[in-house]
Amino acid sequence: MPRLRRLSISLMTSIALMHGPLLGSPAFADPDASPRLDPPSAGHIALALDRLAVAGTVLYVAAHPDDENTRLLAWLANARGLRAAYVSLTRGDGGQNLIGSELGPLLGLIRTHELLAARRIDGAEQYFTRAIDFGYSKRAEETLAIWGEDAVLGDLTRVVRHVRPDVIVTRFSIDPPNHGHHTASALLAREAFVAAADPARFPEQLAHDGLRPHQAQRLFENKSPWRFKKDEDLSRYLALDVGGRSPELGRTYAELAAQSRTMHKSQGFGSAPAHGPLLEYFEPTIPERWPRALPAKASDPLAGLDFSWARFPGTAPLVKAIAAARKAFDPAHPERLLPHLSRVHAALLALPEDNPYRAPKLAELHALVLAVAGLHLEARAASPVAISSEPLAVDATAIAYRDVAVEVALTFPDGHLAPARTLVPGTPATRSHTLTPSGSPSTPYWLAAPSRGGLFTPAEGHSGIEPTGASSLAVRFAVTVKPPGAVPIAFEVSRPLRHTWVDRVHGERFREVELLPALTVTPLSPHRMFPGPAARTVELRVRAHGQARRGEVSLGAPPDARGWKITPSSHPFELPADGEAVFAFDVTPAGTAPVELRASATAEGRTFDRAEAVIDYLHVPRTTILSPATVRAVPLDLAIGGAKIGYLVGAGDEIPQSLAQVGYQVTLLDPAALGDVDLASFSAIVAGIRAHNVHPALRHLHPALMRYVEGGGTYLVQYITSTRHRPLGDVPIGPHPFVIDQGRVTDETAALTALDPKHPALTTPNRIEPADFSGWVQERGLYFAASWDERYTPLFAAADPGEDPLQGSTLVARHGKGAFIYTGLAFFRQLPEGVPGAYRLFANLLALGAPAHKGAGR
């Protein structure tokens, strides 16, 4: 389908409950990727008590990670005590990555966890739909056609019926121009506002999933300040002042919001808080469909809504119990709250089961009981990896730091029961057990099966709205707290198995234990290019998880791939526990069609055919993603000029590895140390994506780079961002001035029309034909030049449907004996995906320098 890239999981860079107020508010979590389980401060406990008295919910709707308004979410959750939730229709897999080279599904996984880290700070909950972020879209109609409007509307309706908000707020308007995903999110929110209340819409959610129709009271658009006109009269909008400071937390809501937004590290969204009054503006959306109108002359969008327990009959005992608990709170002796919390617990249990706040408030109360009792629960494993049918030593520990009566019983992941034991205050009670794990290997549930069209395919048992799946390796703690003179409080807490270690720089670190295959077989590249008939090497990394392993690793071609030869057919291996080795196979191509090679390992009578990719950054949990161990082998007709390339590393991409596959000798260059490098030794120098955004040193190196071009070298600069938030300014890039804006062509099938078919970039050393623009993924390009000095030559004209052609995708200028190129064409996506025509065009651009430089490094 046009606009949908292949959702392959790149393995070239492997270094690299709904998580809301219950454990995810500032009261109950650390903003690190591995939140500690320490009891919260007295201020956090006071805030949690206040929130118990509030029965109201606001759902925020937008399209991507980072679209959410963290200032509003932090204020709603912590100033008003409301249940706040954000639903991002996508996981952000179609964006760019400032911290590494992960793109596509791996980037979506990073951004999923960045959202969860943000929610742990601002106190809101997080939800998704199954929609895939397929890249920038200029029209909502295109977006909805690719996703399947009814499918994503169904998912959003499911979120509304699950969260049951009083108010729904959209980030975006339905009016263009805007990102098509943004506009679609606003359109779908309007539809879901109505559909969620209609039992005839998506009735399977009611019949099989236990949901009920729900009618939200109001729907607003949160006005985007960048759309305000100069001197616009904003008094016509409703407004909330989300500034102010939390007396319990000792922080402003803007500080919480800035810290939350800063968790979007892959997008470079580090933020500083604003101070003083901070107004957020709102416009009513389809008010004619509201069941409850705003009071006359109201300026507050929440005016007239009852967020107290009084909105539900029979809650007077609950209100009284919560008020008594809040009044009795003594920060020096939080455990004295327990008798009062026992009465709150009993009053919550007495509510009808269909009360929408019964379950979430019970969960909040249980977390609060753990906090005031100083009860610490954790489950640790000796190894970070569990292997099906192999023993794993586990320790489960409970300790009550306050003088309270607590009994704890345990259920381990394999069903083993440890009977209840009364805790001695201040003394750890540890139960040890060796379990034998079983079940499917760990992998993010939305990546466990191939996607279909514009939607992820969730694993069985998942609807697609959950941020992540619950761990299959968790210990369940059955807790009974016995307050003096009050009814015991009994509930269950689940803690995932975690492996801990001490980092000499970062201190104690955690990672959840993952259930993995005994062996993984990972191609060092998911694509292998074959420029000509000669044999090329395909390398496989075999890793033994858990124990030492011995066996054979093999690589094979499908039966219909006639003429392809692979030698040897297999390699024996013997690996120590948690060891790995790389094995090389010589592959000789045949024909011109791509072929899928399949790798596997055999050991102990079993076959293992899964590759692994690992996400490992400090701000998100270490996560392993499993996928089929395949290599897409792509023959191509390619000639190259000078082979020695200097690559100025930018924000992160895989072009250096891709170039090395087809015969280039690539040296990675650090811009900070470029002054010590003999640039003339390179036939071409390439600046990685966003290099000029992330390396200020390039401004000062501009004269040296231009002298290199004058001497006959080729300097190719890939796309640079320039936005209203972070304009590029007067940073010198080429030999002559040009201006970059946000022009792009999002349709990867759009025609790229050569403005001068005889230009050397289109003829030498490869003649570029229309077929070379087939098979591109996600987009043609982005951040095109908008204007340029007449000494630049634009190579192409291209346009999305219904738009005027843009000519700024690729500019070439002769300078002295050499050539400078700026290109916004998305080579950073095409080369790692094995697109032959993109390789041929890129090789031509690299060969534009003087003939003497074309031979540099040979």
Side-chain angles (χ1 to χ4, degrees), residues 745 747-759 762 768-774 776 780 784 793-800 803-810 825 841:
V745 174
D747 184 351
E748 71 272 28
T749 67
L752 276 174
T753 303
L755 298 175
D756 178 7
K758 295 181 180 180
H759 192 284
L762 303 176
I768 302 302
E769 306 287 354
D772 288 308
F773 300 110
S774 297
W776 286 45
R780 286 298 191 198
F784 291 179
T793 299
L795 292 185
F796 302 106
D800 278 317
E803 295 187 352
D804 293 332
L806 302 176
Q807 295 188 4
S809 71
T810 309
L825 294 179
L841 178 57

Side-chain angles (χ1 to χ4, degrees), residues 464-791:
I465 70 170
E466 314 96 314
T468 59
S471 173
S472 62
L473 296 173
V475 173
R476 300 197 307 275
F477 293 78
V479 177
T480 304
V481 179
K482 300 179 178 179
V487 176
I489 308 169
F491 54 96
E492 190 174 273
V493 177
S494 181
R495 292 283 189 257
L497 286 182
R498 299 197 299 177
H499 176 71
T500 65
W501 73 100
V502 176
D503 184 287
R504 293 182 64 184
V505 175
H506 301 287
E508 187 177 34
R509 293 194 63 196
F510 305 84
R511 56 179 284 197
E512 283 195 19
V513 175
E514 297 178 295
L515 183 60
L516 298 180
L519 291 163
T520 50
V521 186
T522 305
L524 296 195
S525 172
H527 298 85
R528 188 60 168 105
M529 308 306 292
F530 288 82
R536 296 274 170 168
T537 299
V538 172
E539 294 180 303
L540 305 177
R541 185 186 69 229
V542 181
R543 178 173 293 168
H545 297 286
Q547 302 179 6
R549 315 282 177 187
R550 61 188 301 177
E552 287 189 346
V553 58
S554 61
L555 181 69
D560 59 351
R562 296 178 181 176
W564 286 75
K565 297 180 181 179
I566 301 175
T567 57
S569 59
S570 64
H571 286 284
F573 64 81
E574 187 166 352
L575 299 174
D578 299 314
E580 63 178 60
V582 174
F583 299 91
F585 295 81
D586 290 329
V587 179
T588 304
T592 59
V595 166
E596 185 176 84
L597 308 178
R598 297 175 183 176
S600 63
T602 56
E604 302 164 0
R606 293 182 292 169
T607 298
F608 302 90
D609 59 0
R610 307 297 283 178
E612 64 170 322
V614 177
I615 297 298
D616 191 11
Y617 293 97
L618 283 174
H619 70 297
V620 297
R622 178 185 169 98
T623 306
T624 300
I625 303 90
L626 300 174
S627 60
T630 60
V631 178
R632 186 170 177 263
V634 184
L636 77 160
D637 179 13
L638 178 72
I640 65 175
K644 192 171 183 183
I645 307 297
Y647 201 89
L648 292 165
V649 178
D653 58 65
E654 296 176 349
I655 284 183
Q657 300 96 317
S658 301
L659 294 178
Q661 282 199 27
V662 295
Y664 289 100
Q665 302 163 33
V666 183
T667 301
L668 300 182
L669 302 176
D670 179 0
L674 202 61
D676 300 326
V677 176
D678 178 14
L679 300 182
S681 66
F682 299 107
S683 54
I685 294 174
V686 179
I689 60 173
R690 298 195 197 184
H692 283 264
N693 297 116
V694 299
H695 296 303
L698 286 177
R699 173 192 289 267
H700 309 294
L701 294 169
H702 181 258
L705 289 166
M706 292 303 101
R707 286 194 297 271
Y708 162 77
V709 175
E710 283 183 302
T714 299
Y715 182 37
L716 188 155
V717 175
Q718 297 179 82
Y719 88 89
I720 302 168
T721 62
S722 183
T723 67
R724 65 177 180 275
H725 299 299
R726 294 178 176 86
L728 187 62
D730 60 352
V731 175
I733 301 169
H736 317 298
F738 64 99
V739 175
I740 298 168
D741 71 2
Q742 298 183 65
R744 63 177 75 204
V745 174
T746 64
D747 184 351
E748 71 272 28
T749 67
L752 276 174
T753 303
L755 298 175
D756 178 7
K758 295 181 180 180
H759 192 284
L762 303 176
T763 61
T764 308
N766 305 285
R767 180 166 295 281
I768 302 302
E769 306 287 354
D772 288 308
F773 300 110
S774 297
W776 286 45
V777 297
Q778 184 160 320
E779 59 195 342
R780 286 298 191 198
L782 64 171
Y783 292 100
F784 291 179
S787 60
W788 49 87
D789 186 281
E790 62 182 8
R791 287 167 285 187

Side-chain angles (χ1 to χ4, degrees), residues 110-132:
I110 291 172
R111 291 190 173 179
T112 293
H113 284 290
E114 288 178 340
L115 276 173
L116 294 177
R119 297 295 81 79
R120 287 194 290 269
I121 294 166
D122 60 38
E125 302 175 23
Q126 183 62 52
Y127 297 87
F128 293 95
T129 75
R130 292 171 292 161
I132 294 171

Side-chain angles (χ1 to χ4, degrees), residues 321-334:
I322 293 173
R326 187 65 181 89
K327 184 177 180 180
F329 177 47
D330 178 357
H333 295 282

